[in-house]
Amino acid sequence: MDPAYRALGRAQSVRWTSTGVVLEAPPARLEIRCLAPDLIRVELIPRPDLPEPLPFSRSETEFPPPAVTQEEQDGRLILATEAVRVEIETDPIRLTFRDGEGRVIDRDDPELGMGWRYETVHTFRQAQPGERVYGLGEKTGHLDKRGRRWTMWARDVLPHLPTTDPLYQAIPFYLVWKEGRVHGFFLENTFRSHFDMDSDGSGRYHIWAEGGRLVYYLLAGPTFPQVLERYTQLTGRMPLPPRWSLGYHQSRWGYLTQQEVAEVARTFRERRLPCDVIHLDIDYMDGFRVFTWHPDRFPDPEALCARLKEQGFRVVTIVDPGVKKDPSYAFFQEGLEAGLYVEAPSGEPVTGQVWPGEVHFPDFLQERTRRWWGDAHRALLDRGVAGIWNDMNEPVIFDARDEDRTLPETAVHRTDQGEVRQHREVHNLYGLLMGKATYEGLRRLRPEERPFLLTRSGFAGIQRYAAVWTGDNSSWWEHLAMSIPMLLNLGLSGVAFVGPDIGGFSEDATPELMVRWMQLGAFYPFCRNHSAKTFRRQEPWTFGPEVEALAREALELRYQLLPYLYTRFWEAHTRGWPIMRPLVWHAPDDPVAARTEDAFFVGADLLVAPVLQPGARERLVYLPQGEWVDFWTGTCYEGGAHQVVEAPLERIPLFVRAGAALPLGPVIQHTGEAGWARLILRLFPGTRPSRWQGTLYEDDGASLAYEQGVSSRRSLQVTVETDRLLLEVGEPQGPYRPDREVIQVELPFLAEPPRQVRLDGRAVPTATLVDRERNLLRVALSQEGAHRLEIAW
Ligand code: MIG
């Protein structure tokens, strides 16, 4: 390390606080606080005059103080909760975190510890052999982030090469997995930061930020769900999105006129390709002025949105942050007169070139700017726009001098208290603050409806406001494959509602790539096909009838999965769990699962193994411990092993956890066509005894009543014995009632008709239940009440 580096030295004084301890080592001070039994906050203040971190990554959750014990032992301080023991050596100051059984969770590097060098703050942590690292937000590369150095600095960059870093999101949070145990590390620092995750193999993680205090949170886990629950308690959880936003979104940069948009929408319906949302990229605006419509090309947006709505489409419009410098443009003038733009140190607003030509950038750090911005969405919502898409919010400036193409680091933002904060401190927050402005604006403007916001840039906590798409990928097989680890790590970083541009943004997709991408895309939490102006179109019919037919099947599957998916969104909302999960999430002790990045879970019961190579008609799949049922054929596989599975072009390899009851809906063309009216519980009992438990969550899918508990939660349980299967459906909890009389239970892949079927204790003649052609048993349960369905052979 550089000789200018100062590691924290001897503690000159120690003061216990109610849940922690403060150590003075002038000029520095170290504060340690237990926020919860498994959540420890560490703050190094190298100099007394350094301000606190800007608070926007954290939610407003108050943590009730946990019980702690505080003692001194052999010159060391011990601060302990029921889950973590922090051992503090005082000369020099070094920390070790242990779990309740005394195992080391994480510890300072004994030599370098934590410290500072000029304005930068550092922590060096021991990297143990066998540890794998996940999270770090939106990154290229492998699922395991160890062995490379990563930077957090929101950046617009293309193409996404395997080494490209950073990208648009900056999420300074990671998880460490070792032998089934997991902990988390969150750096609460908005300056440019660096995560050297043992890139030279020296056995150290070196995390440092280019300014501010060193504030981090150690999340003790020791499971993935626990770490994510805590992390999202700290940084906030995703509100439930409107149900329509779980449908398929079609976008393209290059829909130039309102006729063209109407034509695209009409074609979806004509060709019976399910779709819920059409996105309007920058061309709808008048000279790229935000909150305007182009008078010739989009003369009647109200009629467009109304027409599309009749056909069951919602419209999402793009909104970029730069405001065109044009004295005749009232919105621009308002911002100028009120002093709402980011300024140069001279006091003049900063000017940069983006799509509109010269623009100024709103200073979203200020509440009054956020209000002004949020309210301006009236110009879009009043015309019938349903959702907003934020782009270029790193923010991007085309003519900036440095390769990061953004505002100068010395540009001036202001807090609500009037303090100056330089862009170098606010940069990483810019997308999140714009998201906050937009989300809160949408809630004010439409207080009865759930907002939908999509963003490119963001920081830790972005999940409170927006879904995230992963920016300008390319129509490459490599990017089809890379989307998996990228989304998995975003999910592990608290952002569950994620997806890349299906088909790829730049370059030309081939028909086969398009098929495979639509098949995988059906499982992305955020499912949008988008492409760039100068490359070939990607609407499903533009590749000929075969691709169209297969794309239709993929979309139909997506829509059938909605009841299952919606409950996963509810889990993300209530627990912070990802929707798309790495295999290791559900197989934490499995070292093969820990490095699998070519397959993933959606929720606990679906294992998706997409085809990621051209020409492949079979693939090798690693299935973790347990039994897995092929969704398409009913073939059962024993897990804990690799299997070669068939993958004809028509279908994506898909496996269901044996024992699970999968809630499915009908094939529909858009979510407005049917609510929860038809529900199928499809059973996949497998070949041997098992017990499975699940939940079905439903609500109106649109309003905010769910925040008041207006929803329906139902427990599902399946017990499989050698000659018998028992499905128990709990009574709906909560006041919401979907509009339906019955739930259809389906048992597919019947080898032989069952001997007996009993519903709620009464025998049902089996002959009436078996569909011999489809090899399927079907039983209807009434929607109300609790039910027991027994099927015996
Ligand atoms: O400079 O709005 O990532 O999705 O189509 C490019 C045009 C600006 C970048 C976004 C992309 C969008 C495009 N935008």
Side-chain angles (χ1 to χ4, degrees):
M1 191 56 195
D2 192 289
Y5 175 66
R6 292 281 165 272
L8 201 50
R10 188 174 72 84
Q12 293 188 7
S13 73
V14 169
R15 180 164 55 84
W16 292 105
T17 60
S18 61
T19 56
V21 62
V22 178
L23 295 90
E24 301 286 350
R29 161 192 290 185
L30 183 70
E31 296 192 17
I32 305 173
R33 209 147 37 95
C34 303
L35 295 181
D38 55 349
L39 181 64
I40 315 292
R41 182 180 195 271
V42 176
E43 176 165 17
L44 168 66
I45 309 167
R47 296 192 320 264
D49 59 322
L50 279 178
E52 283 181 33
L54 289 168
F56 297 94
S57 61
R58 271 182 281 127
S59 71
E60 275 149 33
T61 311
E62 294 283 327
F63 290 88
V68 298
T69 58
Q70 299 163 316
E71 51 186 308
E72 275 190 66
Q73 258 178 26
D74 322 320
R76 280 179 314 176
L77 312 175
I78 313 283
L79 172 67
T81 67
E82 64 192 46
V84 187
R85 187 179 146 94
V86 192
E87 295 173 2
I88 306 152
E89 288 168 44
T90 55
D91 186 16
I93 299 173
R94 297 289 180 267
L95 310 186
T96 299
F97 299 87
R98 295 180 188 274
D99 68 13
E101 276 120 73
R103 267 182 300 237
V104 172
I105 300 172
D106 193 7
R107 76 182 338 160
D108 283 351
D109 178 82
E111 186 194 336
L112 296 169
M114 58 184 116
W116 61 93
R117 177 184 175 274
Y118 309 117
E119 295 295 305
T120 66
V121 286
H122 302 251
T123 165
F124 294 84
R125 321 189 65 75
Q126 269 185 11
Q128 309 294 337
E131 281 179 355
R132 292 187 186 276
V133 176
Y134 306 116
L136 294 175
E138 175 196 53
K139 296 291 177 196
T140 57
H142 289 286
L143 179 65
D144 182 353
K145 293 304 185 222
R146 186 164 177 171
R148 263 177 80 174
R149 175 178 149 164
W150 308 95
T151 295
M152 299 303 162
W153 186 254
R155 189 167 73 124
D156 173 27
V157 56
L158 139 160
H160 302 170
L161 300 176
T163 50
T164 302
D165 183 66
L167 297 177
Y168 319 88
Q169 295 275 328
I171 308 186
F173 171 66
Y174 66 83
L175 303 92
V176 174
W177 171 93
K178 191 191 181 191
E179 291 168 359
R181 307 180 75 82
V182 185
H183 71 267
F185 179 97
F186 171 45
L187 181 73
E188 188 188 11
N189 184 306
T190 62
F191 289 83
R192 190 193 306 252
S193 61
H194 304 272
F195 289 71
D196 185 333
M197 305 314 284
D198 193 26
S199 65
D200 60 359
S202 64
R204 269 185 204 133
Y205 304 133
H206 175 197
I207 293 117
W208 58 287
E210 298 190 5
R213 304 179 180 184
L214 177 76
V215 179
Y216 72 81
Y217 298 79
L218 195 286
L219 297 87
T223 67
F224 282 108
Q226 281 170 293
V227 172
L228 261 290
E229 278 186 52
R230 269 296 180 229
Y231 173 69
T232 55
Q233 191 180 23
L234 192 62
T235 60
R237 298 200 175 122
M238 171 182 78
L240 269 176
R243 197 173 79 113
W244 58 261
S245 67
L246 274 61
Y248 175 67
H249 300 235
Q250 183 65 53
S251 183
R252 174 167 174 82
W253 176 19
Y255 292 151
L256 286 186
T257 62
Q258 116 176 32
Q259 291 79 351
E260 190 180 352
V261 174
E263 179 68 21
V264 169
R266 196 173 52 77
T267 311
F268 269 95
R269 292 296 176 254
E270 243 170 46
R271 294 177 178 261
R272 299 199 62 75
L273 288 155
C275 181
D276 261 85
V277 192
I278 308 264
H279 286 237
L280 303 187
D281 207 321
I282 49 177
D283 297 302
Y284 78 89
M285 289 180 273
D286 180 11
F288 307 115
R289 289 169 186 83
V290 279
F291 309 117
T292 66
W293 296 87
H294 195 283
D296 307 326
R297 291 185 286 102
F298 286 82
D300 196 350
E302 210 154 345
L304 174 69
C305 294
R307 176 81 194 95
L308 261 55
K309 185 135 201 208
E310 282 165 27
Q311 298 169 305
F313 290 100
R314 315 278 165 151
V315 173
V316 167
T317 50
I318 200 168
V319 175
D320 290 356
V323 182
K324 187 177 175 67
K325 219 173 136 179
D326 169 2
S328 68
Y329 169 30
F331 183 67
F332 168 76
Q333 280 298 344
E334 269 171 42
L336 193 66
E337 278 153 31
L340 303 180
Y341 298 120
V342 179
E343 290 170 2
S346 67
E348 289 296 302
V350 179
T351 301
Q353 288 276 343
V354 205
W355 291 109
E358 290 196 334
V359 302
H360 290 339
F361 291 91
D363 179 11
F364 292 116
L365 190 58
Q366 304 176 43
E367 167 67 20
R368 56 193 194 115
T369 311
R370 293 197 296 270
R371 280 230 146 224
W372 166 70
W373 188 264
D375 290 344
H377 287 76
R378 195 186 293 281
L380 301 172
L381 300 201
D382 278 356
R383 305 299 160 89
V385 166
I388 301 296
W389 163 22
N390 283 168
D391 185 24
M392 307 296 272
N393 51 353
E394 290 71 23
V396 190
I397 296 184
F398 290 156
D399 62 340
R401 243 174 264 137
D402 62 319
E403 60 157 26
D404 292 340
R405 304 195 309 158
T406 194
L407 291 165
E409 294 200 10
T410 53
V412 172
H413 297 258
R414 278 174 226 282
T415 65
D416 294 332
Q417 291 70 42
E419 289 165 28
V420 168
R421 296 291 181 115
Q422 291 189 328
H423 188 64
R424 52 201 299 269
E425 183 175 2
V426 182
H427 176 81
N428 280 335
L429 282 175
Y430 197 81
L432 178 138
L433 292 169
M434 183 181 180
K436 180 174 166 66
T438 307
Y439 177 83
E440 290 171 357
L442 296 181
R443 283 208 55 159
R444 282 196 303 277
L445 292 170
R446 285 203 184 138
E448 309 296 323
E449 278 183 43
R450 301 179 193 176
F452 173 74
L453 174 62
L454 177 66
T455 184
R456 193 168 72 175
S457 189
F459 189 72
I462 187 63
Q463 66 273 9
R464 300 196 304 268
Y465 309 119
V468 168
W469 103 100
T470 56
D472 298 343
N473 63 353
S474 306
S475 300
W476 297 333
W477 287 92
E478 290 85 348
H479 277 184
L480 174 73
M482 189 173 73
S483 72
I484 300 174
M486 192 181 275
L487 298 186
L488 292 176
N489 279 319
L490 261 168
L492 290 172
S493 308
V495 193
F497 199 1
V498 288
D501 285 347
I502 293 174
F505 175 74
S506 42
E507 308 299 328
D508 294 327
T510 63
E512 187 182 359
L513 177 65
M514 205 59 222
V515 169
R516 292 309 195 186
W517 216 324
M518 289 294 286
Q519 289 173 341
L520 168 53
F523 296 91
Y524 291 146
F526 176 61
C527 175
R528 185 185 74 157
N529 175 337
H530 179 58
S531 60
K533 219 169 199 171
T534 51
F535 299 96
R536 75 174 288 175
R537 299 183 71 106
Q538 282 178 192
E539 295 83 3
W541 58 86
T542 57
F543 296 82
E546 190 188 9
V547 174
E548 181 184 338
L550 298 180
R552 180 178 301 108
E553 285 175 22
L555 293 174
E556 289 177 353
L557 178 61
R558 165 78 180 193
Y559 278 83
Q560 288 177 278
L561 286 170
L562 281 180
Y564 179 75
L565 277 173
Y566 197 71
T567 298
R568 311 289 74 85
F569 274 77
W570 169 70
E571 282 171 350
H573 163 63
T574 52
R575 309 239 190 177
W577 296 349
I579 294 163
M580 213 173 134
R581 304 171 189 165
L583 264 47
V584 67
W585 178 281
H586 290 294
D589 297 314
D590 182 341
V592 181
R595 59 183 160 79
T596 300
E597 57 188 3
D598 62 356
F600 57 92
F601 281 107
V602 173
D605 303 319
L606 279 184
L607 193 159
V608 187
V611 175
L612 304 171
Q613 285 160 359
R617 297 294 180 266
E618 56 186 10
R619 64 154 283 182
L620 193 63
V621 183
Y622 181 72
L623 298 170
Q625 280 296 320
E627 197 183 12
W628 303 92
V629 186
D630 185 314
F631 176 84
W632 305 107
T633 65
T635 306
C636 295
Y637 293 93
E638 197 49 53
H642 285 85
Q643 305 280 359
V644 177
V645 301
E646 295 200 345
L649 192 61
E650 301 77 67
R651 61 179 198 245
I652 182 169
L654 177 60
F655 303 89
V656 185
R657 185 183 295 279
L662 209 58
L664 299 173
V667 171
I668 46 178
Q669 298 304 304
H670 59 89
T671 55
E673 190 181 308
W676 306 121
R678 280 191 56 203
L679 182 74
I680 296 163
L681 285 182
R682 194 175 291 171
L683 306 180
F684 296 84
T687 61
R688 56 182 160 86
S690 64
R691 254 183 100 77
W692 172 92
Q693 280 188 323
T695 304
L696 176 68
Y697 173 85
E698 296 168 301
D699 62 25
D700 69 24
S703 82
L704 297 159
Y706 76 95
E707 291 180 345
Q708 265 62 58
V710 183
S711 60
S712 155
R713 282 123 14 227
R714 230 166 166 159
S715 70
L716 305 172
Q717 201 161 303
V718 179
T719 312
V720 180
E721 291 164 11
T722 33
D723 55 355
R724 197 178 83 108
L725 173 162
L726 174 64
L727 167 70
E728 289 163 282
V729 178
E731 193 151 353
Q733 306 289 310
Y736 177 75
R737 285 296 169 274
D739 177 23
R740 67 169 171 252
E741 313 264 288
V742 293
I743 298 173
Q744 292 285 350
V745 178
E746 282 185 7
L747 178 62
F749 316 119
L750 270 189
E752 50 189 308
R755 187 168 48 78
Q756 199 182 47
V757 176
R758 294 177 77 81
L759 176 59
D760 299 327
R762 273 173 291 122
V764 190
T766 58
T768 62
L769 306 175
V770 178
D771 176 341
R772 288 205 173 266
E773 228 161 86
R774 293 177 56 206
N775 247 352
L776 187 80
L777 180 96
R778 219 191 255 119
V779 186
L781 312 182
S782 87
Q783 154 68 19
E784 286 310 311
H787 302 285
R788 282 171 64 90
L789 175 68
E790 283 179 76
I791 303 173
W793 284 272

